[in-house]
Amino acid sequence: MSDQDGAQNGSVPEEAQSDIPEPFSGDHPIVVKGLRNSFGEQVVHEDLSLTVNRGEILGVVGGSGSGKSVLMRSIIGLQVPDAGSIEVLGHCMTEPHDSNLAADVRSRWGVLFQGGALFSTLTVAENVEVPLKEFYPELDAELLDEIARYKVMLSGLPEDTTSKYPSELSGGMRKRAGLARALALDPELLFLDEPTAGLDPIGAAAFDRLTKELQDTLGLTVFLITHDLDTLYEICDRVAVIADKKIIAVGTIPELLALDHPWIQEYFNGPRGRAAKDAQGRAKKMDNPAAGRA
Amino acid sequence: MREWADFTAEPGDGGAVTLTLKGPLTVASIGAIDRRLREVSEHVAAVDLSQVKEIDTVGAWTAWRTARDHQAEITGASNKAQRLIDSVSRAESSGAITPPRPPLLTRVPAAVGELVVGWGSGTLAVLGFLGSVIVAFGRLAQHPSRFRGKSLVRQLELVGVSALGIIGLMSFLIGITIAQQGAVQLQQFGAEIYTINLTGRLAFRELGVLMTAIMVAGRSGSAFAAQIGTMKLTEEVDAMRTIGVSPTDALVMPRILAAVLMMPLLGFYSAVMAVIGGAFISNFVLDIPFFTFLLRIQDVVPVHDLWVGLIKAPVFGLIVAIAGCYQGMQVAGDSEDVGLRTTLAVVQAIFMVIVLDAMFAVFFSEVGWK
């Protein structure tokens, strides 16, 4: 039986016969050039440029209010920039209203917002099913439920969480449920806004390992905003530093440490930075990546 | 054309078949075969993944589930497929998707019971809320300097000044309707001159204040409930309490005062606009000149009609504000509750205003203000 026959066998509804996008084959899933964002008089970004490589975990750091979240919102199209170009998975995001294009990109990324941003009238499992139903209406209810269950488990939540409403969950659990929803479509690109903030150290370490494992197995590209120095040392391939309305440096942590920028030096060589670095060093010696947190 | 996943079943040793999955095995392509895989009835010995081009967790799950259901082994899995299968198989769970739903026979009596208990506890809670407002008034009388003047001015603007446009327009149109419809009926008796009495007395005595109360309930009562409710959800109200600021003082009092102070002004303004609307239309349909109509109002509308309106107005304002603030403070849980409570605030306010209006109508007639 050929593929064609399978599709005409009555098992797939008509409306699902549409095209699906090819996996992204370029080297840079996110390319930002000359971005400018401002709110009234206050300029947040000025001539900001950033390129993300395929398959890497890019950590984005910067002081509070330096525009990390605004950068993420611009990239995912929630904030219309004043100027500049943004390309995501080969599509120009600043192009006005191209609904096909937008749907195409949206079926291939997952976004985790700071507070989880779960739909409050749906249970956790139903939350995970929302993007699946939206983009793949041909999937069976039974399969949807199975997918929702294992995604929730993969995100490290206990089994009975699936039928709970967001208001019944703690902040950390909401975050994990948000991750389960972000991963619902097996995306190529994952945006995480401070995923480990507010988690206990054990939970945060598990979250890091999960992100790393997903990157390894699914070849994910991860855009990760964080203040967690352990996360930066542990899983980030490269780190981008936002300061003075620009990305002032992108590179591995040793590369950044070699730069003579006061903010970067203070960030990584402050007491917390040293502690995270020492923990990393110990973990490397023991050849056990989990020990860095213990 | 989208490329779908597919599979073939080849008979092997002893009647068992080998399922060979083909094509991309991803969330986008699995829809074609998931149902058919579940319906395979033969005994399956192996699930072969060697011809799978692409795989994600959904594909890995489907392959693993098929193998699990038939106690078959998975063969030909690539390194990536094996890792995905390992991780999804560890994540197997049987959690429910939605909370268990009791049968209809249990649910209906439970809902009725909750409703009845809710009436009782709701009445108690409203009384408690009223009490806390009265206590807050007492505190305010003792320490007038603690009063939040800025917040009151802000609410006065929101409740009163910004409602002038819509209330004026509404009242003008209602005035037109009363005068025009009244004229049509009264002309049959040759009594069209009484259109002026009808419009003026109705506007000052009843409609001006009543319509204004309904409009304020819709505009401001709902806003009170939604604002305070959202502040409850974002823990702002809790934060106030921990700092030592009473939410009743800071949130409820300015809103109640604003509604009580603004309602008489808005009600009077509304009545005047209705009379102007009546005069405007009489100019055309009754040949009563505009200013003659206004001058006649002075003669035919007794002053106690104005008092009736002005006495009712602050009471209506109080009801609207209490309903809005009380429902706002009751919000708990999620954003859906904010919507429910906002609806309740408006419905209860309008209902109570109409009930009280009927009582006032009888009362004022009995005391001789006819």
Side-chain angles (χ1 to χ4, degrees):
Chain A
M1 197 187 288
S2 72
D3 290 325
Q4 213 63 7
D5 289 338
Q8 287 162 0
N9 215 12
S11 54
V12 175
E14 281 294 313
E15 71 266 18
Q17 301 282 348
S18 57
D19 260 340
I20 52 153
E22 285 288 303
F24 181 67
S25 54
D27 289 332
H28 305 294
I30 304 175
V31 182
V32 180
K33 279 191 194 131
L35 181 73
R36 185 194 145 90
N37 270 312
S38 63
F39 298 102
E41 294 283 286
Q42 189 199 354
V43 178
V44 182
H45 298 137
E46 181 80 75
D47 196 23
L48 180 150
S49 297
L50 175 68
T51 307
V52 181
N53 299 331
R54 188 147 72 112
E56 76 172 346
I57 298 183
L58 179 80
V60 177
V61 300
S64 299
S66 59
K68 302 182 293 292
S69 291
V70 177
L71 174 61
M72 186 177 111
R73 289 175 64 85
S74 310
I75 296 174
I76 58 185
L78 294 175
Q79 162 88 31
V80 181
D82 299 346
S85 76
I86 297 167
E87 251 180 53
V88 178
L89 299 171
H91 293 304
C92 181
M93 298 299 290
T94 39
E95 204 67 28
H97 296 301
D98 187 342
S99 54
N100 274 339
L101 227 152
D104 173 36
V105 177
R106 279 180 198 136
S107 68
R108 294 152 69 192
W109 74 29
V111 183
L112 169 65
F113 290 93
Q114 263 188 50
L118 297 170
F119 304 123
S120 55
T121 53
L122 303 178
T123 63
V124 170
E126 287 170 335
N127 261 285
V128 177
E129 289 178 10
V130 169
L132 289 163
K133 284 181 185 159
E134 176 67 28
F135 288 106
Y136 305 112
E138 77 275 9
L139 294 181
D140 251 17
E142 207 176 332
L143 180 63
L144 284 176
D145 291 353
E146 287 172 3
I147 296 175
R149 279 193 202 105
Y150 83 71
K151 297 275 177 185
V152 169
M153 293 295 282
L154 272 185
S155 317
L157 286 166
E159 198 175 76
D160 59 354
T161 325
T162 40
S163 63
K164 287 197 170 139
Y165 286 95
S167 54
E168 300 171 284
L169 301 180
S170 73
M173 288 166 94
R174 271 182 225 179
K175 212 159 248 187
R176 283 164 179 274
L179 180 71
R181 188 180 67 188
L183 292 173
L185 296 168
D186 278 284
E188 297 165 47
L189 190 53
L190 189 60
F191 292 90
L192 305 175
D193 193 352
E194 303 206 13
T196 53
L199 294 189
D200 63 88
I202 301 170
F207 210 107
D208 285 352
R209 277 200 300 278
L210 175 63
T211 314
K212 187 77 189 158
E213 193 182 309
L214 288 166
Q215 180 218 14
D216 285 349
T217 46
L218 294 171
L220 276 180
T221 308
V222 183
F223 180 96
L224 177 120
I225 295 176
T226 191
H227 280 304
D228 189 334
L229 286 153
D230 291 315
T231 306
L232 291 174
Y233 275 106
E234 206 74 40
I235 63 168
C236 289
D237 298 309
R238 290 195 305 158
V239 175
V241 182
I242 301 193
D244 311 326
K245 299 165 191 169
K246 286 184 175 60
I247 301 280
I248 53 168
V250 190
T252 60
I253 294 177
E255 281 169 19
L256 292 180
L257 282 170
L259 296 174
D260 191 27
H261 190 280
W263 193 87
I264 297 177
Q265 289 298 328
E266 200 179 338
Y267 192 89
F268 289 104
N269 282 331
R272 284 156 175 270
R274 281 183 190 286
K277 192 180 173 187
D278 292 348
Q280 166 84 357
R282 280 201 300 277
K284 281 272 157 64
K285 252 180 243 160
M286 291 160 74
D287 200 26
N288 177 2
R293 298 277 186 171
Chain B
M1 188 63 214
R2 199 198 291 196
E3 192 181 359
W4 296 97
D6 193 17
F7 74 91
T8 54
E10 286 140 18
D13 317 327
V17 294
T18 299
L19 295 179
T20 308
L21 301 178
K22 291 173 183 170
L25 211 58
T26 61
V27 61
S29 65
I30 206 82
I33 61 162
D34 173 58
R35 173 100 337 245
R36 282 163 52 216
L37 275 175
R38 286 177 203 275
E39 284 161 0
V40 170
S41 54
E42 298 97 325
H43 177 62
V44 178
V47 177
D48 182 22
L49 298 182
S50 57
Q51 296 187 46
V52 169
K53 283 196 278 186
E54 257 178 76
I55 191 163
D56 65 7
T57 63
V58 177
W61 169 266
T62 311
W64 179 77
R65 186 202 61 213
T66 310
R68 180 198 64 185
D69 291 350
H70 294 278
Q71 276 119 40
E73 59 171 340
I74 294 175
T75 58
S78 63
N79 188 20
K80 181 184 174 189
Q82 194 54 52
R83 289 176 69 174
L84 288 174
I85 288 169
D86 288 347
S87 56
V88 296
S89 63
R90 280 198 305 272
E92 189 201 3
S93 98
S94 54
I97 299 300
T98 49
R101 202 172 147 85
L104 194 68
L105 263 171
T106 322
R107 253 186 298 142
V108 172
V112 173
E114 267 169 32
L115 196 68
V116 173
V117 173
W119 278 333
S121 60
T123 313
L124 275 182
V126 172
L127 283 178
F129 185 75
L130 259 178
S132 74
V133 170
I134 293 169
V135 169
F137 261 110
R139 267 203 304 270
L140 191 67
Q142 282 175 332
H143 309 280
S145 59
R146 290 246 194 98
F147 182 64
R148 282 153 216 280
K150 264 189 195 162
S151 155
L152 174 67
V153 171
R154 171 88 184 126
Q155 290 302 327
L156 286 176
E157 186 194 339
L158 287 175
V159 175
V161 181
S162 40
L164 285 178
I166 185 67
I167 288 180
L169 182 64
M170 173 191 73
S171 306
F172 184 78
L173 294 175
I174 286 177
I176 287 182
T177 315
I178 299 171
Q180 196 267 334
Q181 289 297 310
V184 169
Q185 298 301 321
L186 291 170
Q187 261 172 344
Q188 297 174 15
F189 312 104
E192 59 262 41
I193 194 68
Y194 285 103
T195 303
I196 303 173
N197 303 41
L198 179 74
T199 313
R201 296 205 64 178
L202 258 184
F204 279 100
R205 209 179 160 101
E206 286 295 333
L207 281 184
V209 173
L210 187 64
M211 297 308 290
T212 305
I214 290 173
M215 188 55 94
V216 170
R219 278 185 87 256
S220 304
S222 60
F224 294 168
Q227 278 169 355
I228 297 179
T230 312
M231 290 176 82
K232 283 267 307 197
L233 285 191
T234 54
E235 297 179 320
E236 281 174 69
V237 174
D238 295 338
M240 277 185 189
R241 284 210 179 94
T242 56
I243 296 168
V245 177
S246 150
T248 316
D249 290 357
L251 298 175
V252 176
M253 290 297 288
R255 288 177 169 78
I256 289 182
L257 276 178
V260 169
L261 291 177
M262 273 303 168
M263 262 304 294
L265 300 179
L266 286 174
F268 179 70
Y269 163 75
S270 162
V272 169
M273 289 305 286
V275 167
I276 291 176
F280 170 78
I281 199 70
S282 299
N283 202 7
F284 301 107
V285 298
L286 289 175
D287 291 329
I288 302 173
F290 187 79
F291 288 104
T292 312
F293 189 104
L294 294 187
L295 284 173
R296 283 288 298 160
I297 287 282
Q298 284 188 323
D299 301 331
V300 301
V301 179
V303 182
H304 64 65
D305 274 6
L306 179 65
W307 289 123
V308 168
L310 290 184
I311 290 170
K312 288 195 285 190
V315 181
F316 291 175
L318 182 72
I319 287 173
V320 167
I322 294 254
C325 295
Y326 169 73
Q327 294 296 352
M329 295 296 277
Q330 295 303 305
V331 168
D334 54 27
S335 55
E336 199 185 2
D337 206 34
V338 177
L340 281 176
R341 294 285 176 183
T342 307
T343 310
L344 263 182
V346 176
V347 171
Q348 286 179 344
I350 292 178
F351 178 75
M352 283 302 293
V353 160
I354 289 175
V355 168
L356 262 185
D357 192 55
M359 286 156 85
F360 271 125
V362 176
F363 173 78
F364 285 124
S365 301
E366 286 297 312
V367 299
W369 280 2
K370 289 178 186 169

